Amino acid sequence: MTDERFSPPRNFGWLPPEHSDYERSRVVILPVPYDSTASGWVGSREGPAAIIDASGNMELYDIGISSEPYLVGIHTLPDVAAHGGGPEAMVERIEGIAGELIDDGKFVVTLGGEHTVAVGAARAYASRVPGLSVLAFDANADMRDVYLDSPYSHACTLRRISEIAPLVQVGLRSAEREEHEYIREQGFRFYGPREFRSLGPEGVAQQLSEAVYITFDLDAFDSSVVSALGTPEPGGLHWDEVSDLLEAVARRWRIVGFDVTELAPSLGPRANAQLAAKLVYRLIGLAVRE
Amino acid sequence: MTDERFSPPRNFGWLPPEHSDYERSRVVILPVPYDSTASGWVGSREGPAAIIDASGNMELYDIGISSEPYLVGIHTLPDVAAHGGGPEAMVERIEGIAGELIDDGKFVVTLGGEHTVAVGAARAYASRVPGLSVLAFDANADMRDVYLDSPYSHACTLRRISEIAPLVQVGLRSAEREEHEYIREQGFRFYGPREFRSLGPEGVAQQLSEAVYITFDLDAFDSSVVSALGTPEPGGLHWDEVSDLLEAVARRWRIVGFDVTELAPSLGPRANAQLAAKLVYRLIGLAVRE
Amino acid sequence: MTDERFSPPRNFGWLPPEHSDYERSRVVILPVPYDSTASGWVGSREGPAAIIDASGNMELYDIGISSEPYLVGIHTLPDVAAHGGGPEAMVERIEGIAGELIDDGKFVVTLGGEHTVAVGAARAYASRVPGLSVLAFDANADMRDVYLDSPYSHACTLRRISEIAPLVQVGLRSAEREEHEYIREQGFRFYGPREFRSLGPEGVAQQLSEAVYITFDLDAFDSSVVSALGTPEPGGLHWDEVSDLLEAVARRWRIVGFDVTELAPSLGPRANAQLAAKLVYRLIGLAVRE
Amino acid sequence: MTDERFSPPRNFGWLPPEHSDYERSRVVILPVPYDSTASGWVGSREGPAAIIDASGNMELYDIGISSEPYLVGIHTLPDVAAHGGGPEAMVERIEGIAGELIDDGKFVVTLGGEHTVAVGAARAYASRVPGLSVLAFDANADMRDVYLDSPYSHACTLRRISEIAPLVQVGLRSAEREEHEYIREQGFRFYGPREFRSLGPEGVAQQLSEAVYITFDLDAFDSSVVSALGTPEPGGLHWDEVSDLLEAVARRWRIVGFDVTELAPSLGPRANAQLAAKLVYRLIGLAVRE
Amino acid sequence: MTDERFSPPRNFGWLPPEHSDYERSRVVILPVPYDSTASGWVGSREGPAAIIDASGNMELYDIGISSEPYLVGIHTLPDVAAHGGGPEAMVERIEGIAGELIDDGKFVVTLGGEHTVAVGAARAYASRVPGLSVLAFDANADMRDVYLDSPYSHACTLRRISEIAPLVQVGLRSAEREEHEYIREQGFRFYGPREFRSLGPEGVAQQLSEAVYITFDLDAFDSSVVSALGTPEPGGLHWDEVSDLLEAVARRWRIVGFDVTELAPSLGPRANAQLAAKLVYRLIGLAVRE
Amino acid sequence: MTDERFSPPRNFGWLPPEHSDYERSRVVILPVPYDSTASGWVGSREGPAAIIDASGNMELYDIGISSEPYLVGIHTLPDVAAHGGGPEAMVERIEGIAGELIDDGKFVVTLGGEHTVAVGAARAYASRVPGLSVLAFDANADMRDVYLDSPYSHACTLRRISEIAPLVQVGLRSAEREEHEYIREQGFRFYGPREFRSLGPEGVAQQLSEAVYITFDLDAFDSSVVSALGTPEPGGLHWDEVSDLLEAVARRWRIVGFDVTELAPSLGPRANAQLAAKLVYRLIGLAVRE
């Protein structure tokens, strides 16, 4: 029944089957509409659907990098179901699914939902890719060991990830005193936006390794750039800065997978979903060049 | 890749493949996100996606009619693409697609978009089902012959349908003087909400024929019941009244197809999409009993 | 420059000059975007513009009363400016303007803004029309003598009006204990929605006099019918009930002027402005029959 | 520092200390902004704050029952903190707090948050009040034994409550087939809105016992009356119907405690929070007459 | 009836008759609420009214250029009516009206609606002003020859304009591959935001000619600056950059007319309409100095 | 009843009693939800509650200045009641309350509401602190002597303040011609954003005196940074610029008190309240170091 009279299906990029069948696709989008540990304003569970909807409103040629990323094939899976057993069980479910996809030769793009979902995806990569390093975009330290009785709260995301791979964080401008002290004691490489500007994209990129996983909490952006967030913060990164850093990383290393999380569409303008879709597409274009 | 760890796909009813594959489905949902002749507030192009999203938030057992309509199979097609050649070409496109589906043995549910899309679907049925009558729910007469230079404007919908099949309309409470006079001169059976209440569901139902097509402009409802509309009107129908009439029709005749149109989600609360989804599901349950 | 290629101007009804010039118009719309004594949620200052915008989305034939009210001419004045000297000065300004319009032979329709604006308009009529009675639609008693140090607060509106003309109120379901006692002691005819239903439209209408001024606080409606209000209240009136009462009054007496107030458009769906426009138009049709 | 120049504090009713101190208050409001098992649209965690904000916009005299409920004293506690250990731990926390309050002689009003929070409050009453019966307002059966792996999901609320006290439910119009069969097999007294209308308020009230706990999921209301809900349903109850039933229960029996849940303020107009505040206040007035 | 007690009328600038009468005005605002070829999110038909509403909230002295642009007179026409015959007929209607205004000695400011409306206005100028060049602000190439079967889609706007006058575009960051190749092959001067920054305002301005028409699609701005758009894009221009370029052009050449298009007010904060009003006013001030 | 099972109360910072009791607190938050002279879009009366709500979503450690400002104690008073006697009476009420607090040794943080409220607070400080200078952040001159008949309109705020203390203003980009001339004639130090950038934070800071009061109208920020305002303006200040200036002032002088005004939460994204909360907290941290 698919023919010229119909729009493409509502997958990421609104791609026809020849560019979105599972078999023919190098990239797999894994939507995870999960936000049950959120402690501020809620709604990131609506993020994946909003990003996918917005992605149809985007040119498939990315003029910024002169590339047509969809040509490698982008398959969109159905939503991962929320696990009633709490965030740890959810993280395990995501790790399981992402692992199967990696083993099947796919490049996995996880769309949150809350940042917690990144732990599952990052673990799947860390256990399969030797020498993996992680580049985290985030306004918050996310370095609590336990929060509201759970080690898998969104506020513990980077702590959990730091336990499995070397971590470089960019965008930091909100933390508990204890977290801040822990970061300094441990010598973690967390950079506020101004520190990032001093260091420059190359200065950050060179701290990573051959294989890089990127975890992107959208609150790394300045709250004027993305406001549809549970924890928007002023004083953050701007689009060109982020784009430059991603290009610097892609030039130097191999990006093996990534996630984009925390978009809560009802808390800001629709333009934020559009930006998130473009970010995902840019990252695919940088990571999976033909 | 589909398994227990995933939510069902975002089709109507969020149904797994065994209840939503084209081959195994008796019912086909045809989303038509088209609103280019709208003259009031816009946004009904977002109606089909909102109804489909909301349909996942609905029990698949319809307690009101003690039925599980999804068991007959409900397949959701991709969106029909807008035709740049104007509303007439769009109506023809819809008629073509709906006709092919009917010829393939499917029960077609058209989701608007503006009411204009009903003309295409009704024509496909009228040319294939002898003795078809049409039951229209609408606040407006929609009986203009031409509007803003086009005979396929939303304001002409029922005029066009009246030319192909006998018509009974319920919910009327807005019209031009010329339309009102035309209706009276022609002896058309258009009933305002209070006239409908006097007549009763059976009184309306008995005016239809063996085979009934239902075209449903959601502004037939009172604007307290559905406000997410380009032309909301007070003094309209309530849920139980509509439900009673639909049941009366289904008891007496065969409903061969229907459309639900004009939901403009951003103009009212999300609850309106939920109501529209339930209305579609109820109608499927009444029309396509196993 | 006005010709067929242009839409009509954004006056009430979006009427062309031949039906909206001041000279040729029997009716004058007086928009008063004033809400500075509001004590709940604000925004009724945006009410007049929203009603006027919505009025272009309305058929100019009112099928409910088989009438084309615009044929008597409806002129829309510019907004009355807020007076910095407080509500008393504002009430005087409105009284002055309305009085001049009445003296010029016009039928004045005042659009609030907060209910306070009704005091000015009612006074202009009371001092010119012997034997005037007032029919008030309101959820609240509005019978405080002074509120937040001012006798011209929105909460004192009906108290001020009761001092200049006999008053019948419909829709009451919110009051202070002192107000309620005062109403009972004074024998004021205030009817809750259920009392109104017992009495019936004729029962209320017969309590009025030959010449009736109608002041309409939209919160008289049930909050499901109109929610875009500073003080929405459940358990109120429905569209047909209001319409029946207005028709009963018009059949029996002469409606000399009216106001519609308290629409705060940003607090509810756009459908509420549509309803308010239709109410204004219905009232014009009932009051100023050719 | 409290004096005439300040507004009252933002507790329920915006009451001054003499009517809201814990010691002097007969009634205690227990806000529980918890929605982590929600499976539809989210946001009921913002319900308690919205109800408390709206309560300041309400007359303290309830004209509908000629009463000033605040005179018995209404104390508002701080929000109950979400428990990271999942819904069972949260239910236990609520049960513990409510129990302490009951033991201290307080009348407990629990404000959700999702309906799950009712289980804790109902248990605290059931274990202390012999012969307790429960009156539930709900659109959904909520009779699943387990949902998404948890027996404390919002979809299991009434199942859990049915295990500790005899239950009468009003408003039913959405259920799984299995739930519906279970209800019929067990002979549970669940009434859809039309069944309720046939039976009448007295007919329902007489099925309760000397001591009644009321659990109120706001989706029992028709979705035109309250739309700010995760699972709004058309065909529901109206304000006067609910009010009549509550009055019938209060005339005949003693209401020992209640909860009001599921308001998700961002999904509908602010008027819905106003209605919820008035419902809470009405229930206090009916239950705790001086 | 106009006097001190009234606010000015709702024309652009909310100007009294002495500064807004057609005869005495050098500038004419032509509102074109047309968006029927929009393919993303809709609502730019509400743009002109939103800009005009917001313009009353603006100081009439433009401190940025030390000028009071309204002193030359600014007349606001009624809305141009949508033409049911499709975008080509609409473009012709706009060209006709704009042409008559230019011939009458007016400076024409066209307010969209979708960018398509610019074609009509630009044609009217191009056929009357020898040596005209066009400066386009846009995020998109808009260089498709035909889109959705129409050569007058919003996606073809700059292609059509490039056929009638030399074009310089600023803000480019979204295009099809074919468009991008076409631009490069043809040597069109399209500058992305970073290219613009390298070149500087003077570098762009000097590429224009004696007489400049400016067409402004608001998506040229970064999506943090204006988000109320059908196709918002990150990585765009900021206010001061745009302002500097406009000043550079005005210093060097004569701006003969301009349009501002694509504001879809319901998709972003009201501040966006305020910015658009200020942009229009700034452009008038730069173009029509006394 | 306060214990671990409860969230902290909804005061500024959501602080437990040991950090928010009046007696133990060095800082007092004075919420003034007053907006009755607002002449543009309204809603700043909802600002204080929105800021206080958002403040619970903020880390109590301010990483930007490596400080935990709450340790000095922050007490939140109830809302100041609106005075029905107009803005002058309101300003006097605020001056009275602020004065009592200062005399009691408190550091007063006034939250508007409209900018007018700053006059009361600034006067309380000016009459008690010899040699006080005022640093104003504002997009508008606010230097009208009288506006809409009142010298206490929001448009006169800085004129009134300039009469009691030397004033330095930053952010200016909107003014009447008369205001602009007055500023230049009087030699007032008002700096537009670009002038501020030329001068630098130190250049501005050195113009102040030993004791500085800061009055902050949030429209000083660029409208992309804060859009939830009655009079948003493009071309304004960014977060880091403001933060740098505040730090420069704090390093050099003593900040004795401040206000933050004009947030109208419903006009922009929730992120704006978050930014305002963080600004207040930053200012407390800079002004009241332990």
Side-chain angles (χ1 to χ4, degrees), chain E residues 229-251:
Chain E
L229 294 163
T231 55
E233 289 282 340
L237 301 171
H238 288 268
W239 174 260
D240 285 346
E241 294 175 329
V242 165
S243 195
D244 288 351
L245 175 52
L246 297 176
E247 289 185 49
V249 172
R251 270 195 305 274

Side-chain angles (χ1 to χ4, degrees), chain A residues 40-41 144 173-177 180 194 197 224 227 230 232-235 267, chain F residues 54 57 59 61 63 66 68 224-225 239-241 244 269-271 274-275 278:
Chain A
W41 298 318
R144 284 169 165 99
R173 55 203 190 279
S174 175
E176 277 195 316
R177 189 172 51 72
H180 202 196
R194 291 176 160 201
R197 280 167 207 140
S224 71
S227 57
E233 289 283 339
L267 300 176
Chain F
N57 207 13
E59 297 286 356
Y61 173 69
I63 192 174
S66 302
E68 292 177 293
S224 70
V225 177
W239 175 260
D240 284 345
E241 293 175 330
D244 288 350
R270 284 189 178 182
Q274 195 68 35
L275 177 147
K278 191 161 183 172

Side-chain angles (χ1 to χ4, degrees), chain D residues 17-86:
Chain D
E18 60 269 30
H19 297 301
S20 62
D21 275 357
Y22 181 80
E23 298 305 327
R24 281 180 280 184
S25 293
R26 171 81 180 89
V27 175
V28 170
I29 304 283
L30 183 66
V32 192
Y34 181 81
D35 62 8
S36 76
T37 81
S39 52
W41 298 319
V42 283
S44 67
R45 71 167 65 181
E46 294 175 348
I51 293 171
I52 290 167
D53 278 0
S55 72
N57 206 13
M58 173 179 88
E59 297 286 356
L60 292 174
Y61 172 68
D62 183 341
I63 192 174
I65 56 174
S66 302
S67 164
E68 292 179 292
Y70 76 97
L71 294 175
V72 302
I74 303 175
H75 178 73
T76 304
L77 285 170
D79 294 345
V80 177
H83 194 294

Side-chain angles (χ1 to χ4, degrees), chain A:
Chain A
M1 281 303 299
T2 58
D3 59 32
E4 293 283 302
R5 300 170 301 177
F6 289 90
S7 297
R10 294 212 169 200
N11 52 38
F12 185 82
W14 297 31
L15 300 171
E18 61 269 30
H19 296 301
S20 62
D21 275 356
Y22 181 78
E23 298 305 329
R24 280 180 281 184
S25 294
R26 172 83 179 88
V27 175
V28 170
I29 304 284
L30 183 65
V32 192
Y34 181 81
D35 62 8
S36 78
T37 82
S39 53
W41 298 318
V42 283
S44 67
R45 71 168 64 182
E46 294 175 346
I51 293 170
I52 290 167
D53 278 1
S55 71
N57 207 13
M58 176 179 89
E59 297 288 356
L60 292 175
Y61 173 68
D62 183 341
I63 193 174
I65 56 175
S66 301
S67 163
E68 294 178 291
Y70 76 98
L71 294 175
V72 301
I74 303 174
H75 178 74
T76 304
L77 284 170
D79 294 346
V80 177
H83 193 295
E88 182 163 10
M90 189 65 190
V91 163
E92 281 166 15
R93 172 173 291 179
I94 296 163
E95 181 180 354
I97 295 168
E100 292 169 25
L101 292 166
I102 299 166
D103 292 344
D104 203 29
K106 303 301 185 190
F107 181 95
V108 183
V109 176
T110 305
L111 300 184
E114 54 173 84
H115 201 181
T116 308
V117 308
V119 178
R123 281 188 181 168
Y125 274 104
S127 65
R128 281 164 179 81
V129 181
L132 185 78
S133 61
V134 174
L135 172 61
F137 289 84
D138 207 327
N140 303 289
D142 283 3
M143 290 298 276
R144 284 169 165 99
D145 194 27
V146 175
Y147 186 65
L148 291 176
D149 308 314
S150 169
Y152 291 92
S153 163
H154 67 100
C156 310
T157 299
L158 296 185
R159 181 70 169 261
R160 289 294 85 75
I161 290 177
S162 75
E163 293 163 357
I164 54 169
L167 182 67
V168 176
Q169 199 255 28
V170 175
L172 183 70
R173 55 203 190 279
S174 175
E176 277 195 316
R177 189 172 51 72
E178 293 76 7
E179 289 179 299
H180 202 196
E181 286 167 2
Y182 178 78
I183 289 166
R184 284 189 290 209
E185 285 161 19
Q186 302 289 324
F188 281 121
R189 295 160 299 172
F190 276 55
Y191 303 107
R194 291 176 160 201
E195 292 167 306
F196 164 64
R197 280 167 207 140
S198 305
L199 207 55
E202 295 297 334
V204 170
Q206 69 188 22
Q207 301 184 37
L208 295 162
S209 63
E210 187 60 40
V212 178
Y213 180 84
I214 294 175
T215 180
F216 207 120
D217 183 328
L218 288 162
D219 63 19
F221 281 112
D222 190 78
S223 58
S224 71
V225 176
V226 183
S227 57
L229 294 163
T231 55
E233 289 283 339
L237 301 172
H238 289 268
W239 175 261
D240 284 346
E241 294 174 329
V242 165
S243 195
D244 288 350
L245 175 51
L246 297 177
E247 289 185 49
V249 172
R251 270 194 304 276
R252 189 184 281 264
W253 317 115
R254 187 167 54 93
I255 298 170
V256 298
F258 68 86
D259 59 73
V260 172
T261 67
E262 292 288 351
L263 182 76
S266 67
L267 300 176
R270 283 188 179 186
N272 291 179
Q274 195 68 36
L275 179 146
K278 192 162 183 171
L279 175 66
V280 168
Y281 199 59
R282 172 71 49 90
L283 268 161
I284 292 172
L286 290 171
V288 197
R289 295 190 182 256
E290 292 159 277

Side-chain angles (χ1 to χ4, degrees), chain E residues 114-165:
Chain E
E114 54 173 83
H115 201 183
T116 309
V117 307
V119 178
R123 282 190 179 167
Y125 273 104
S127 63
R128 282 164 179 80
V129 181
L132 184 78
S133 60
V134 175
L135 173 60
F137 289 84
D138 207 326
N140 304 290
D142 282 4
M143 288 299 274
R144 284 168 165 100
D145 194 28
V146 175
Y147 187 65
L148 290 177
D149 308 314
S150 170
Y152 290 92
S153 163
H154 67 100
C156 310
T157 299
L158 296 185
R159 180 72 170 259
R160 290 294 85 74
I161 290 177
S162 74
E163 293 162 358
I164 55 170

Side-chain angles (χ1 to χ4, degrees), chain C residues 39-41 140 144 172-180 184 194 197 222-224 227 230-235 238 267-269, chain D residues 50 53-54 57-64 66 68 224-225 238-241 243-244 247 269-275 278 282:
Chain C
S39 53
W41 298 317
N140 304 289
R144 284 170 165 97
L172 182 70
R173 55 203 189 279
S174 175
E176 277 195 316
R177 189 171 52 72
E178 293 75 9
E179 289 179 297
H180 201 197
R184 284 189 290 210
R194 290 177 160 199
R197 280 166 206 138
D222 190 78
S223 57
S224 70
S227 57
T231 55
E233 287 283 340
H238 290 267
L267 300 176
Chain D
D53 278 0
N57 206 13
M58 173 179 88
E59 297 286 356
L60 292 174
Y61 172 68
D62 183 341
I63 192 174
S66 302
E68 292 179 292
S224 69
V225 177
H238 289 267
W239 174 261
D240 284 346
E241 293 175 330
S243 195
D244 287 350
E247 289 185 49
R270 283 189 179 183
N272 290 179
Q274 195 67 35
L275 179 147
K278 191 162 184 171
R282 172 71 49 90

